[in-house]
Amino acid sequence: MTQRKILVTGGAGFIGSNFVHTLLENKSDISITVVDKLTYAGNFRNLERWKDDSRFLFIKSDIADKEDLFSKLEGHNFQEIAHFAAESHVDRSILGPEEFVKTNVLGTFYMLELARELHSAGKLKVFLHVSTDEVFGSLGEDGAFTESTSYAPNSPYSASKAGSDHLVRSYFHTYGMPVITTNCSNNYGPYHFPEKLIPLMILNCLQGKPLPVYGKGENIRDWLFVKDHCLAIDMAIQKGKYGETYNIGTRNEKNNLEIVELICSLMDKRHPEGAPHNRLITFVKDRPGHDFRYAIDPSKIEKELGWTPKYSFEKAMEETVDWYINNQDWWKEILSGSYESYYEQQYKGR
Ligand code: NAD
Ligand code: DAU
């Protein structure tokens, strides 16, 4: 069997690390190189279990630093690139958009240039760009995003992702490159950085802290379990059509208050000393330009690639809450701010 040689950017983050686990747990004929800058959101501990596995290599680099990136990746003949690396948090993009433009736009441009070299050398089979449903803007009460929905990004984060999507598209039309873009809805699951709604609420419940709900908690997101997302991405890499985009979601819309109430009830059973956790719900000032509703129509990936989700929302939410309860070292290290030095300790001088 021929070996798949994959480069995963942003593999130390939430979805990227789940993607690495999904592949290494299930495939022996594979070699994965992760390139990651290890920003505040990147955590080498997420990948620690693979550090002595011959199928795995980690390279620390910034995709927005062309010289460093190209020199560190020179001579590696990747056939597949799964591009996850990005600044990903909307609230941070409102406070400081510059890093978003650098990493998401310039960084994606350099990744495409690197891929173009591999393509010219006849090595590259596919460049899979991981994007978001936020590029389509906000929905009203009805309807769902399809692959032909017009772009209308509203935050600096989504605008930078939209810019990267357009660059990816242009490399197909201009250079004939084997690119595919996926646009997914909100993920949840293990290794989710605790600034995002679901992990933040779980950890605040465990610590007896207020649960800050923006506005009235009526905004709607379409929740996708990260393990289902990773399987969909791998399917798009292997079966997707070059130049196409695929929306990924599981028709699972909930408003934010429903999500927070669900977490509270799951915590009441698992952490009875804090019950009732919904007493901690605190309505706070709304996010500026807060998109009201996202919803994905996944018909295309279902029909054309045969993808269907494997996990139920109820079970996957239980698994997620349990993961945070059982991995307190992981999040306590993050909250104490000391995790970044862990990689340096392990790999000094390498
Ligand atoms: P994350 O913030 O958890 O992880 C991002 C990773 O990228 C981190 O490991 C970080 O260190 C790395 N990174 C950031 N800047 C970098 C740079 N300049 N060079 C190299 N590495 C860098 O993000 P995530 O939630 O895992 O998201 C992964 C991708 O999926 C992103 O492209 C995001 O836009 C997209 N996405 C996420 C969601 C979601 O719900 N989390 C939904 C839709 C799309
Ligand atoms: O839709 C896909 C996007 O989902 C991804 O592209 C982004 O990378 C990802 O971060 C996510 O963006 P959101 O802004 O939807 O996710 P977040 O977890 O930040 O917020 C989810 C909802 O919860 C949103 O309506 C804002 C609200 N919220 C969030 C936080 C952090 C709160 O009410 N309170 C909070 O403290």
Side-chain angles (χ1 to χ4, degrees):
M1 202 182 281
T2 44
Q3 206 195 38
R4 288 172 67 187
K5 221 171 167 319
I6 304 198
L7 174 65
V8 177
T9 75
F14 164 46
I15 308 177
S17 63
N18 276 284
F19 183 69
V20 171
H21 301 319
T22 300
L23 292 191
L24 291 179
E25 280 166 7
N26 295 301
K27 296 178 200 278
S28 50
D29 55 326
I30 201 155
S31 100
I32 296 187
T33 299
V34 167
V35 63
D36 199 294
K37 182 181 174 182
L38 296 180
T39 65
Y40 79 95
N43 185 350
F44 187 69
R45 278 220 191 275
N46 298 358
L47 300 169
E48 189 178 16
R49 57 192 275 217
W50 306 112
K51 72 179 158 59
D52 299 320
D53 192 306
S54 59
R55 297 169 300 163
F56 174 77
L57 178 69
F58 183 84
I59 295 174
K60 185 175 177 186
S61 185
D62 178 350
I63 60 163
D65 179 342
K66 187 177 182 188
E67 213 182 306
D68 189 64
L69 180 74
F70 276 59
S71 68
K72 287 189 177 154
L73 295 183
E74 204 187 343
H76 292 270
N77 287 323
F78 305 107
Q79 299 147 347
E80 301 174 16
I81 297 177
H83 178 39
F84 293 87
E87 285 294 334
S88 68
H89 192 40
V90 174
D91 291 334
R92 282 182 190 255
S93 83
I94 295 167
L95 294 171
E98 192 166 343
E99 280 306 306
F100 288 73
V101 176
K102 278 189 194 152
T103 290
N104 300 359
V105 183
L106 193 61
T108 298
F109 166 62
Y110 290 147
M111 284 309 306
L112 285 164
E113 284 295 276
L114 191 112
R116 192 152 73 96
E117 285 191 358
L118 291 168
H119 176 61
S120 303
K123 310 280 186 202
L124 188 74
K125 284 192 182 153
V126 61
F127 181 99
L128 188 292
H129 174 57
V130 180
S131 191
T132 171
D133 58 0
E134 296 198 14
V135 296
F136 302 122
S138 182
L139 290 166
E141 298 287 345
D142 304 316
F145 301 130
T146 71
E147 287 75 4
S148 54
T149 302
S150 303
Y151 273 44
N154 290 322
S155 71
Y157 162 70
S158 53
S160 68
K161 291 296 290 187
S164 68
D165 292 10
H166 292 323
L167 279 169
V168 172
R169 176 190 158 90
S170 77
Y171 274 59
F172 171 74
H173 287 276
T174 307
Y175 304 113
M177 290 215 349
V179 302
I180 293 167
T181 295
T182 53
N183 296 84
C184 70
S185 55
N186 287 60
N187 284 223
Y188 65 98
Y191 303 99
H192 205 179
F193 195 82
E195 65 189 348
K196 309 281 167 59
L197 180 74
I198 288 183
L200 179 77
M201 297 298 158
I202 297 171
L203 298 198
N204 284 11
C205 280
L206 283 171
Q207 299 171 99
K209 290 186 176 171
L211 309 176
V213 175
Y214 298 166
K216 294 181 180 162
E218 288 170 348
N219 299 63
I220 293 166
R221 298 292 182 264
D222 186 355
W223 293 95
L224 166 66
F225 190 43
V226 67
K227 293 184 185 182
D228 276 325
H229 183 203
C230 291
L231 290 169
I233 288 177
D234 194 35
M235 188 174 267
I237 287 176
Q238 296 191 68
K239 292 169 70 178
K241 200 170 157 210
Y242 301 151
E244 293 287 317
T245 69
Y246 297 92
N247 282 359
I248 305 173
T250 49
R251 299 185 181 86
N252 188 39
E253 291 179 55
K254 308 276 175 216
N255 78 30
N256 295 335
L257 199 52
E258 282 178 276
I259 291 286
V260 177
E261 290 279 9
L262 172 64
I263 291 169
C264 289
S265 70
L266 292 170
M267 290 303 302
D268 286 350
K269 292 190 196 108
R270 290 158 171 78
H271 184 251
E273 58 273 35
H277 290 86
N278 63 4
R279 79 193 144 81
L280 299 169
I281 292 174
T282 310
F283 293 94
V284 299
K285 194 165 163 242
D286 210 352
R287 171 185 280 174
H290 197 172
D291 284 341
F292 171 61
R293 173 172 166 259
Y294 305 140
I296 284 272
D297 176 353
S299 307
K300 179 176 173 182
I301 192 166
E302 288 171 347
K303 282 195 197 118
E304 294 186 9
L305 306 189
W307 177 74
T308 45
K310 284 197 167 154
Y311 298 85
S312 79
F313 174 65
E314 290 71 23
K315 285 259 169 297
M317 277 299 288
E318 287 180 15
E319 182 178 329
T320 302
V321 168
D322 288 338
W323 189 86
Y324 285 90
I325 291 174
N326 296 328
N327 287 276
Q328 304 218 3
D329 287 352
W330 181 86
W331 56 262
K332 282 184 178 161
E333 196 175 31
I334 288 175
L335 297 187
S336 75
S338 61
Y339 67 91
E340 240 179 331
S341 62
Y342 174 74
Y343 169 80
E344 310 293 350
Q345 284 166 23
Q346 296 289 306
Y347 285 85
K348 233 170 240 162
R350 278 168 70 178

